[in-house]
Structures are given as structure tokens and as C-alpha cells.
Amino acid sequence: MVFPNFEELKNAVSIFHIRHRKNFCSSYKKSSSWRAVCATTGPQQTPCNWSLSAAKLKGTTNQWKIKKVSTTHTCQNVFIEGGMDRVCGSDLIAALVTRKICEDPHYKVKHIQTDVKNEYGLDVSYRKAWYARQKCIETEYGKFADSYNELPSFLMSLKATNPGTIIEFDFTPSPPSPSGESAYVHFKYAFWAFKPAIDGFQYCFPVIGVDGTHLYGKYKGNLLLAVGTNANNEIFPLAYSIVDAETAASWS
Ligand SMILES: [Zn+2]
């Protein structure tokens, strides 16, 4: 049986063990070979000789193949609470629910707990499910910090490809690191008003409404918004700004 990479091989072995309520652990792991053995232990257990050997295929990029599975588990099932913790970590849960998170951004931690319970019969702690969700999001969409790092180039591209759109942003240098370097910057403000919105304001009532709302992501901050009202009394968004806090300085 061939797997596209080691992670998928290990996930498949883990799911097999979860379904059969057994434990396993790595006996050794090298760059091109892996051996797993039974890890079910307890006072009632007799020695179990289950083992699995796999190797990375030569001449391929990352493919792994199961070479040998010796016997079946002769140990008793693991039903004790937390007994599957060794097999079912947040990495595996992340792999199990990645597709659902990609399809539905509103897939919440409690949904992970419910689905893993329904499909695999496992109780997953909120903490572990939360970590799994974070790993999925970072794998699919990148890390929050990386997104902020890419913001300047994204805004410059937005400006270059949308003539007439007004964009301004501000970063403040971070304190020098212990090594004396100050290469990193901290995001402070970003402001943008799309050209069609600017052009459209001439058809709105000559009144601008402004308000702000808190951002509830990892890095907090505020979203400030300026809107007009068109002839149908509909809200017409004019300009947006993400700021560190709602202050007189950030509003101006
Ligand atoms: Zn066993």
C-alpha cells in the first residue's frame, strides 16, 4: 500500500487504530524507514506482537509504502478515558477535518468535537480541537503573522491595479531585538477607498456617516468605516480603515 507522504501513512495507521481502539507508537523513525509497534499497556494485558514496517520509495519524491504488518493485535481494546490520546493528537484531528473547514469557514471547534465523536467515537477536548482548527487554518490560509507581513505588498498591488483608488498604510518600527536588529515592523494603520466608491459619492446625499467596530481575531484592532447614503436611502460604503485602536489620531 503506497501513500503520497509519511504524514498520510501515519494518519491512515492512526485512523485504523482509533477505529479498532488500539494504541501504537513509533519503534523507530528514520529518513527512509519507519517501524511502529503496539503500545497498548495495562495490568490485564498480555504481550502483543503487532508491528508495522514501512519504507520511503526510492526514486520518488515523498511516497511511502507499507512493507509488512506482522500479525494482528492480540491486546485488549483501549476504552479508558484518554486512552487514545497517544494516537489521536491535534495533527490527526486537523487532517480529519481539513476538508470541512475549507468548505465551511464557520465550522467551529464544537463542530469538530461533534463530528469526531460521531464518526470515530472519540471524545476530543475543546483545547485539542481548537489546536486542530488552528493548524487547518494555518495550513490552508497561512499564518496570521504572515498575512500581516504580506499586507504592504498586497496594498501596493491593490493600488497599482486600481487606478484612482486611495490607499495609505502605516507601520511602526519594533523595538530593537536583543541582537540590536530592528528589521521587524508593527502594523498600525491601513486605509483604503476604492475609486468606484469615490466616484459614486457625488450621487449620494452630502452626508458621511462614520463608525467603528472591534475586530475579534487574534490581533484585535478596530475596523473604521465611512458610508454615504444613495438616492434609494441605501448605505453606500466609501472608505475603510483598520487601526490599532479607535482614537482621535487613528480617526484623523
Ligand atoms: Zn496490540
Side-chain angles (χ1 to χ4, degrees), residues 40-140:
T40 300
T41 57
Q44 307 300 322
Q45 296 290 351
T46 53
C48 172
N49 293 321
W50 179 89
S51 69
L52 177 147
S53 299
K56 189 175 180 183
L57 292 181
K58 292 177 181 175
T60 62
T61 50
N62 280 315
Q63 288 186 323
W64 281 71
K65 182 178 183 180
I66 293 178
K67 295 286 189 182
K68 184 180 178 184
V69 180
S70 66
T71 76
T72 56
H73 280 279
T74 54
C75 51
Q76 293 176 345
N77 288 358
V78 182
F79 279 114
I80 56 174
E81 187 176 348
M84 301 306 296
D85 275 358
R86 185 186 296 208
V87 174
C88 188
S90 58
D91 284 340
L92 176 65
I93 297 171
L96 296 178
V97 299
T98 289
R99 183 178 55 79
K100 292 183 178 179
I101 289 180
C102 291
E103 291 173 352
D104 179 11
H106 301 295
Y107 188 72
K108 292 186 166 61
V109 174
K110 64 181 179 183
H111 298 146
I112 294 175
Q113 291 178 289
T114 304
D115 285 352
V116 173
K117 175 72 174 177
N118 291 339
E119 293 176 27
Y120 301 96
L122 285 183
D123 291 310
V124 176
S125 68
Y126 186 92
R127 177 187 173 87
K128 192 182 283 186
W130 185 88
Y131 274 114
R133 187 172 185 276
Q134 289 302 109
K135 286 176 180 175
C136 286
I137 291 173
E138 289 186 357
T139 301
E140 294 301 317

Side-chain angles (χ1 to χ4, degrees), residues 12-238:
V13 175
S14 298
I15 292 170
F16 168 85
H17 280 76
I18 288 170
R19 292 198 186 284
H20 292 83
R21 292 295 191 271
K22 307 291 184 184
N23 267 336
F24 76 96
C25 64
S26 292
S27 172
Y28 66 79
K29 166 71 172 66
K30 296 179 180 175
S31 60
S32 58
S33 62
W34 181 49
R35 185 167 187 269
V37 296
C38 176
T40 300
T41 57
Q44 307 300 322
Q45 296 290 351
T46 53
C48 172
N49 293 321
W50 179 89
S51 69
L52 177 147
S53 299
K56 189 175 180 183
L57 292 181
K58 292 177 181 175
T60 62
T61 50
N62 280 315
Q63 288 186 323
W64 281 71
K65 182 178 183 180
I66 293 178
K67 295 286 189 182
K68 184 180 178 184
V69 180
S70 66
T71 76
T72 56
H73 280 279
T74 54
C75 51
Q76 293 176 345
N77 288 358
V78 182
F79 279 114
I80 56 174
E81 187 176 348
M84 301 306 296
D85 275 358
R86 185 186 296 208
V87 174
C88 188
S90 58
D91 284 340
L92 176 65
I93 297 171
L96 296 178
V97 299
T98 289
R99 183 178 55 79
K100 292 183 178 179
I101 289 180
C102 291
E103 291 173 352
D104 179 11
H106 301 295
Y107 188 72
K108 292 186 166 61
V109 174
K110 64 181 179 183
H111 298 146
I112 294 175
Q113 291 178 289
T114 304
D115 285 352
V116 173
K117 175 72 174 177
N118 291 339
E119 293 176 27
Y120 301 96
L122 285 183
D123 291 310
V124 176
S125 68
Y126 186 92
R127 177 187 173 87
K128 192 182 283 186
W130 185 88
Y131 274 114
R133 187 172 185 276
Q134 289 302 109
K135 286 176 180 175
C136 286
I137 291 173
E138 289 186 357
T139 301
E140 294 301 317
Y141 303 109
K143 296 182 177 180
F144 283 108
D146 292 342
S147 297
Y148 271 94
N149 287 338
E150 292 175 8
L151 198 54
S153 59
F154 171 78
L155 292 172
M156 293 301 289
S157 298
L158 197 62
K159 190 171 186 175
T161 53
N162 292 273
T165 291
I166 294 175
I167 292 174
E168 294 185 15
F169 53 91
D170 191 11
F171 289 79
T172 55
S174 66
S177 64
S179 61
E181 297 175 350
S182 57
Y184 297 99
V185 293
H186 287 164
F187 171 79
K188 193 172 184 185
Y189 304 145
F191 169 91
W192 66 100
F194 294 112
K195 178 70 160 53
I198 296 170
D199 292 343
F201 182 59
Q202 63 182 308
Y203 305 107
C204 293
F205 294 111
V207 176
I208 292 177
V210 295
D211 202 359
T213 183
H214 293 283
L215 299 175
Y216 295 100
K218 184 175 181 181
Y219 292 104
K220 313 303 176 192
N222 287 69
L223 170 68
L224 309 181
L225 197 62
V227 301
T229 307
N230 68 15
N232 283 335
N233 274 327
E234 295 164 338
I235 289 175
F236 188 82
L238 296 171

